[in-house]
Amino acid sequence: MSDIARLEGVAAGYGERVLWRDLDLSIAAGEYIAVLGGNGSGKTTLLRLLLGALRPVTGRITVFGEPAKRGDRRVGYVPQHQSFDRDMPVRGVDLVGLGAMGHRFGPRRMPKPVAARVAASITAVGADSYATAPVGMLSGGEQQRLRIAGAIVDDPALILADEPLSSLDLASQRQVADVLDARRRTVGSAVVVVTHDINPMLRHVDRVLYLAAGKWACGTPEEVLTGERLSALYGVEIDVVRVRDHIVIVGAPDEPTGPHHHADHGGGH
């Protein structure tokens, strides 16, 4: 597999606050990477770096062999989930059209080649049956499928998704994880997903990048999601419990909801 993106010796932060240092990471075509870590550990920051929306404190980032830059149509982005107003008159197909029409709402008719791309991306995520419905009337899972359709309308080689499973029920979480996996399997896109909960996508993930306490660990889920590895990251005793195909992490100090949680750190920078 060829590298889509590469981070070499990267430190990230805001002002005088450095979130993590010395990150070396290569992202290969067709690879599915889950990014985990506590609130404020720098997960969304990683996506902003790859999008060219933020510069590293130190180190070098390349995407397609060039410095990361804003507006690269070869990169698809799925932002954090936000519910639409139920009275919003925008249809699902209009939402997807945003990705193809330069992020401009309006009554203009889409040119035929653009409309064909929009229709193809809607079909790819399995959203044909509700694409003409008002987005505010759709379920969270249906809305997320359409957001993914908007992110892939230009056939990106790299898809970055920020908490795409949040606010969804378990069945919808698994469906969205499957849609992202289908994209990398059918066209070879690399997929990088920031997530609170790795369990719905665990069967798809090639590697985990875990950010904690200003440090990081990267490897297969079996290599990274162990008590020994996470204890070394946090500097405190961490237990990892596996129940069938479900992972539970116990004792991470930066989890705001308490000491017992799933492999589900999230949000923030």
Side-chain angles (χ1 to χ4, degrees):
M1 292 187 292
S2 58
D3 286 346
I4 295 292
R6 182 180 292 272
L7 294 86
E8 299 172 277
V10 171
Y14 299 85
E16 297 183 355
R17 184 189 179 205
V18 176
L19 299 172
W20 33 260
R21 300 180 183 273
D22 302 320
L23 176 60
D24 294 312
L25 176 70
S26 60
I27 301 169
E31 190 171 25
Y32 200 125
I33 298 177
V35 183
L36 304 174
N39 291 331
S41 62
K43 301 182 303 302
T44 295
T45 295
L46 174 68
L47 299 190
R48 293 189 67 202
L49 288 166
L50 290 168
L51 288 166
L54 181 70
R55 296 180 63 84
V57 176
T58 60
R60 181 170 181 261
I61 302 172
T62 54
V63 181
F64 308 109
E66 306 168 353
K69 61 181 182 291
R70 289 178 179 266
D72 192 329
R73 306 292 282 186
R74 297 170 293 180
V75 180
Y77 176 55
V78 183
Q80 290 191 12
H81 174 76
Q82 291 183 334
S83 296
F84 294 100
D85 191 312
R86 290 182 64 85
D87 297 325
M88 190 174 182
V90 175
R91 302 170 302 163
V93 66
D94 301 321
L95 180 66
V96 179
L98 278 174
M101 297 288 286
H103 302 276
R104 295 186 296 271
F105 273 127
R108 308 192 322 282
R109 185 186 299 274
M110 285 185 284
K112 285 186 178 180
V114 174
R117 283 166 38 216
V118 168
S121 64
I122 288 172
T123 297
V125 302
D128 289 289
S129 63
Y130 48 83
T132 58
V135 293
M137 301 300 292
L138 301 178
S139 70
E142 290 168 342
Q143 291 176 4
Q144 283 298 75
R145 283 177 181 252
L146 290 165
R147 285 190 177 92
I148 294 171
I152 67 174
V153 72
D154 284 325
D155 289 324
L158 173 62
I159 300 172
L160 307 175
D162 195 356
E163 299 284 4
L165 310 185
S166 65
S167 304
L168 304 182
D169 59 38
L170 182 58
S172 295
Q173 287 179 350
R174 288 175 174 166
Q175 289 167 3
V176 169
D178 290 349
V179 167
L180 291 168
D181 181 63
R183 187 68 188 175
R184 65 89 172 243
R185 291 188 182 278
T186 56
V187 301
S189 300
V191 177
V192 179
V193 182
V194 167
T195 182
H196 258 69
D197 187 357
I198 194 176
N199 287 299
M201 63 181 64
L202 190 59
R203 64 192 184 280
H204 304 313
V205 168
D206 297 306
R207 285 192 295 162
V208 169
L209 173 64
Y210 202 111
L211 304 172
K215 296 177 286 187
W216 57 274
C218 188
T220 66
E222 293 75 21
E223 292 170 338
V224 174
L225 299 179
T226 69
E228 181 179 10
R229 194 77 180 271
L230 296 186
S231 296
L233 271 185
Y234 281 105
V236 297
E237 191 70 23
I238 304 293
D239 292 318
V240 176
V241 180
R242 295 176 183 265
V243 182
R244 298 188 179 91
D245 59 349
H246 199 77
I247 294 175
V248 180
I249 297 173
V250 182
D254 56 356
E255 176 58 35
T257 57
H260 301 281
H261 59 284
H262 303 296
D264 63 355
H265 310 284
H269 295 310

